[in-house]
Structures are given as structure tokens and as C-alpha cells.
Amino acid sequence: MKSKILLPILAITLLSLTLVGCNTSSKVQENKLQIKIAEQYGLAYAPLQIMKEKQLLESKLPGIEVSWRQLGNTTAIREAMLAGELDVGFMAIPPFLIGWDKGMEWKIACGLSTSPIGLVVNKESIQSIADFTPEDRIALPQPGSIQHILLAMAADKLWGDPKRLDNQLVTLDHPDGMNALLAGSEISAHFTTPPYLFMELEEPGIHQILDGKEVMGEDFTFAVGVTTEKFYEKQPAVYEAFLEALAEAIKFMEGNPTETVNILAKAYQMDEAELANYLERSDTTYGLEVQGVMEFADFMQKYGLIKGQPANLKEVIWDGK
């Protein structure tokens, strides 16, 4: 009789211990330091390759779990952030502003780079955007990308109509855009950045008709690091370590050019001499400062891509002034 009573008690005890163990394991997992980062394509994101290869964040927070993803555009980054799959994403200012305007709980944590942005074409008959025919197609990362906004600015200056070329856009990431341009079949133009910009211009019959900085009329940050509100508030130590590691990566690039080229050549699967030449030729600069937010916001509101614009930088930059 006693054994019949003891068996259910033993089963309940074992179940309770199992549940306690699961809870403990869940809490340990929840409290584990981790960060999930997404980058995009191009030399504008080079410091992230250094940060990754040198494990600069891991050296500041031993035991942290760092995961990296490379995505083709900001839409993919935004969707991953909404799904809780990312803490930090690197993107240009215009697509960040579109997400912010739609209620995304994110802000800019830092700048990353300024970069040349060029519109290149594969037809001799096209010497400016005025020469595009309705049949010409323009490849860029996505509507609302920095390339799209700069193209809209150029169209606004020329025709007073920022949407003039919108129906001719084709969404392609930079590697696919370059391949399509060089194939010369469906794509007439590609709005891109180094190394793709330089690689394209080295090909016969390819020339540049538009420069991003000339369109903007001043310097602007090309890529910024954006973090979710949850990450900023719940993991302040990781947030600060992330910024410190990024600053260290930029400093490393400045002080160790040979090793930097070696790391980046492997990351981008390029010849070292070719990459060193691109870095030397490029006007790309790296730093945590952010420029151009309010200028982009002002144009984008007029363009109708965002309904409102930030009253000040504190609305869109963590600890912004």
C-alpha cells in the first residue's frame, strides 16, 4: 500500500525538479551576454570585418556570444529586428528614417562611414539622368535607400519632380546589381559604392554620370549603426562595449594598414593589391560621427517618404545632442 502512495509522490517530485531545471536553464540563457549584428555589402562596412576578425567585442566582454549576418538591404534588417533576430543593424540614414517614421522602436547609435556613391551606366548615349529613356532600368538596393533618395534629389533639381525616375527602379543588392549592369541586358544603370563602383568603372563601356556628394551638396554619413530600444535599455554594458569595440576597429585600420588589407581582402574575396588600390583611391572615411540626418529628413518629408521629421537629434540618436 505504501509503495502505491510513494510512486505518484516520486513522479511529482521528479517533474518538479525537471521544471525547476528548465526554469534555471531558461534564466541562464536569458541572462547570457549576447549581441546579434547585421551588416550590408561594400567597403563602407569595412570596420565591421576588422571587429569580427580581431574579436574586439569578445575581448571586452569575455563569454559574450556574437552573431553576424550579411543582408542585402534595410528591409531585410528591419524585418529581422521586428522578429527579435537582431540587436544592431548597419544601414544608411534614409531607410532608418522611414522605419522610425513608421514607429520602429530604434535609434542611431553611431556613424560608421562616409563613402563615394556613384551612378554608373553601360550606354554611351547616357551622359546624364536627362538621357534616360522610359525603357532604361536603374538598379539600386531598394526604394527608400540612400541611392534612391539621392537620385530623387537629382531629379528634383533637374525636373522639379523627385519621382520622375521611380518607375524605372529595380531592387538588387550591390553584387547582383553589378552583374546585371555588366551583363548589359536588362539594366542600364547601377547606383553603387566601392568596391563595386571601382570594379564597374574599370570595365570597357562603363562610365559615371552622377556623384552622391555633388547631389547632396555637402558631406553626409553613408552608413550608421542602429540599435533597438530593447537592446539599448536592457543591455547597456553590451551597448557601450559595442561602441568601444567599433572605435577600436577604426583605430586599428588607421594604425595597421597592411594587416587591414589582408583581413579585408579575405573578407571580400579580393586580391590584396587591388583592394589596397581601392582603399587608397576611395574617399571613404570611417568614424562614429553622424552627419546629414536632418537634411535627409527635410527632403524626405517633402518627397512624401516620411510623414513627420524629428524635432531634434535626440529623437533619432541615442544620447544625441
Side-chain angles (χ1 to χ4, degrees):
M1 187 71 174
K2 285 183 180 178
S3 63
K4 289 183 180 179
I5 296 172
L6 285 172
L7 282 173
I9 293 173
L10 182 60
I12 292 169
T13 303
L14 287 172
L15 179 60
S16 299
L17 289 171
T18 302
L19 290 173
V20 169
C22 287
N23 268 345
T24 304
S25 173
S26 175
K27 285 179 181 176
V28 168
Q29 187 68 25
E30 195 176 294
N31 293 330
K32 183 177 181 181
L33 291 178
Q34 58 182 327
I35 184 171
K36 295 166 284 188
I37 307 170
E39 57 180 312
Q40 297 186 61
Y41 295 94
L43 285 176
Y45 303 93
L48 303 179
Q49 308 302 329
I50 304 300
M51 186 174 165
K52 187 190 311 181
E53 176 67 23
K54 303 298 289 184
Q55 295 192 320
L56 299 178
L57 188 47
E58 290 89 337
S59 68
K60 295 185 178 301
L61 293 173
I64 189 173
E65 182 181 311
V66 183
S67 60
W68 295 87
R69 293 176 66 179
Q70 191 170 51
L71 298 172
N73 57 45
T74 307
T75 299
I77 292 176
R78 184 172 66 242
E79 289 174 355
M81 280 189 162
L82 282 169
E85 297 169 359
L86 287 177
D87 301 308
V88 183
F90 283 86
M91 63 191 71
I93 293 170
F96 157 75
L97 286 170
I98 291 173
W100 171 83
D101 187 60
K102 291 181 177 178
M104 278 290 293
E105 293 180 342
W106 64 7
K107 287 187 184 182
I108 296 171
C110 60
L112 179 66
S113 60
T114 64
S115 174
I117 309 179
L119 180 62
V120 296
V121 297
N122 57 16
K123 292 181 179 180
E124 189 61 33
S125 60
I126 302 175
Q127 295 297 319
S128 77
I129 62 171
D131 298 322
F132 282 127
T133 69
E135 289 72 38
D136 289 311
R137 294 292 174 264
I138 306 162
L140 42 72
Q142 69 183 73
S145 64
I146 192 168
Q147 289 86 356
H148 179 205
I149 300 306
L150 290 170
L151 188 62
M153 287 179 172
D156 189 44
K157 288 178 181 178
L158 181 61
W159 294 298
D161 179 8
K163 300 182 181 181
R164 176 76 171 257
L165 298 171
D166 279 6
N167 291 333
Q168 296 174 234
L169 305 182
V170 177
T171 298
L172 292 172
D173 62 33
H174 290 306
D176 290 339
M178 180 177 72
N179 291 336
L181 179 81
L182 299 182
S185 54
E186 298 178 4
I187 298 298
S188 303
H190 184 207
F191 215 157
T192 189
T193 59
Y196 310 101
L197 177 61
F198 296 150
M199 293 164 73
E200 291 171 2
L201 290 174
E202 288 173 355
E203 295 295 321
I206 306 295
H207 62 278
Q208 182 171 328
I209 64 168
L210 199 66
D211 174 82
K213 184 177 177 180
E214 289 179 6
V215 173
M216 185 73 167
E218 59 186 283
D219 288 324
F220 57 89
T221 302
F222 172 75
V224 295
V226 176
T227 74
T228 61
E229 182 178 344
K230 179 181 178 182
F231 174 74
Y232 175 78
E233 292 183 347
K234 302 290 185 182
Q235 297 203 71
V238 181
Y239 175 85
E240 291 299 331
F242 158 72
L243 293 180
E244 290 172 9
L246 185 55
E248 191 174 330
I250 293 170
K251 186 176 181 181
F252 177 89
M253 292 179 68
E254 295 169 353
N256 303 273
T258 302
E259 190 175 352
T260 293
V261 167
N262 179 265
I263 292 170
L264 295 181
K266 291 177 182 176
Y268 293 113
Q269 299 181 331
M270 293 176 62
D271 175 76
E272 287 191 20
E274 183 181 31
L275 180 64
N277 179 43
Y278 287 167
L279 287 171
E280 195 172 316
R281 285 170 54 191
S282 176
D283 291 331
T284 302
T285 58
Y286 303 102
L288 302 188
E289 184 184 0
V290 181
Q291 294 177 285
V293 172
M294 303 305 280
E295 291 79 4
F296 277 120
D298 181 59
F299 178 80
M300 290 170 68
Q301 186 183 37
K302 291 177 183 176
Y303 184 23
L305 271 175
I306 57 176
K307 294 178 182 177
Q309 58 176 301
N312 54 59
L313 291 177
K314 287 184 178 181
E315 288 192 31
V316 289
I317 301 179
W318 296 122
D319 310 317
K321 297 178 181 178

